[in-house]
Amino acid sequence: MLFDYDSELARYHERLRQALDIRPGERVLDIGCGTARTTRDAARAASPGDVLGIDVSGPMLARARQLAEREGLRNTGFVQADAQTHAFPPEEFGLAMSRFGTMFFSDPALAFANIGKALRPGARLVQLVWQAADLQEWQAAIRAALSPGPAPSMPVPRADDAFTLADPHIVADTLTTAGFTAIDVVDVREPVYYGPDTEGALAAVLQLRMAKEWLTDLDGPSSERALDRLRATLDAHDTGDGVWFDSRAWLVTARRR
């Protein structure tokens, strides 16, 4: 079963949609498109233009293609590849977008330079990225619940975690080096959703890589205690209208020189 990022990020999806302001006829690149809610919405807005979604996950792209076909969206395309190294057609797109899909590059400067080559001069880049881990209630609360002792301090971001673009100064420097200008970084704060109730949220959270990693080294009894703590944490965040946690992101916009 695939984790439902579309439900988790529903509030952010709307913020991104508003910032994109896609015009009919635009050709759009969706980076880290996942199951492609972003791609499909962009395709509707861009028609008669089209949208290319790129992601490294075969299962997510299979689902993306299925949903696009079901919705009759013939102006979408998908490619399974790493946007850091994929050979995009040069100066093909008028807009590059990403909803939390650009934080996992092993070399962000190289990745954004490669993306920039795919954009026409003056084309826009619009992306959402997470702020620092210690500003994410979902990260801190789940980590504390699954830790056998006092919650450890937040680790230094790795090349493959979700917080590599948390520093706005580094983001701006990276994009400038990659050939972008007019860089703007805006604070965005929205809650994230994990399920309609505690048990639904528990099933969702246990699909996340971070939860799997934190549970890996626990023995049976320790794992059961951790899951009990996690249930209690999720129950405490059940609003009656779903299980929600606070979060912070940056909305980053730029233009290719």
Side-chain angles (χ1 to χ4, degrees):
M1 182 182 296
L2 297 174
F3 181 78
D4 187 359
Y5 289 104
D6 291 331
S7 293
E8 180 198 26
L9 303 172
R11 299 283 184 88
Y12 282 109
H13 182 84
E14 181 60 22
R15 297 292 291 269
L16 179 65
R17 189 191 65 78
Q18 293 172 6
L20 289 170
D21 190 26
I22 296 173
R23 305 300 172 87
E26 282 199 284
R27 182 151 169 72
V28 182
L29 174 63
D30 188 5
I31 305 156
C33 66
T35 56
R37 166 75 187 278
T38 46
T39 313
R40 300 188 325 268
D41 281 1
R44 280 183 276 268
S47 182
D50 53 32
V51 187
L52 177 67
I54 182 169
D55 202 285
V56 297
S57 172
M60 284 191 171
L61 288 178
R63 179 64 172 159
R65 293 186 180 99
Q66 180 185 57
L67 291 171
E69 182 177 357
R70 180 186 299 172
E71 294 173 15
L73 295 170
R74 298 182 179 179
N75 61 332
T76 59
F78 300 98
V79 59
Q80 184 179 354
D82 185 345
Q84 177 171 306
T85 56
H86 182 66
F88 293 107
E91 299 187 1
E92 181 79 3
F93 301 97
L95 169 66
M97 58 181 281
S98 182
R99 189 192 68 187
F100 302 106
T102 58
M103 296 100 60
F104 303 98
F105 295 129
S106 60
D107 187 335
L110 178 64
F112 285 113
N114 191 49
I115 291 164
K117 292 175 185 176
L119 298 178
R120 303 183 191 114
R124 296 177 297 141
L125 169 66
V126 182
Q127 58 180 329
L128 280 166
V129 301
W130 292 121
Q131 294 189 29
D134 58 4
L135 298 177
Q136 313 300 339
E137 185 186 29
W138 55 270
Q139 164 90 356
I142 294 170
R143 184 177 176 83
L146 296 180
S147 299
S153 59
M154 294 295 177
V156 175
R158 307 177 309 195
D160 64 344
D161 80 10
F163 308 107
T164 55
L165 298 178
D167 186 327
H169 301 293
I170 292 177
V171 172
D173 289 346
T174 300
L175 290 177
T176 299
T177 301
F180 289 88
T181 188
I183 299 159
D184 191 30
V185 182
V186 176
D187 179 32
V188 181
R189 184 173 187 174
E190 293 287 356
V192 293
Y193 173 84
Y194 283 115
D197 52 33
T198 297
E199 289 305 310
L202 178 66
V205 168
L206 292 179
Q207 294 178 57
L208 294 171
R209 185 186 71 172
M210 64 177 186
K212 294 176 182 178
E213 288 180 349
W214 294 336
L215 286 168
T216 295
D217 295 330
L218 301 181
D219 59 27
S222 297
S223 180
E224 285 302 314
R225 288 193 293 272
L227 291 176
D228 286 342
R229 292 193 299 270
L230 179 57
R231 282 191 183 88
T233 297
L234 297 172
D235 189 58
H237 286 80
D238 188 344
T239 65
D241 189 28
V243 178
W244 297 83
F245 287 83
D246 193 23
S247 69
R248 301 287 286 270
W250 298 119
L251 177 65
V252 182
T253 58
R255 286 189 179 273
R256 183 193 186 260
R257 288 197 190 95

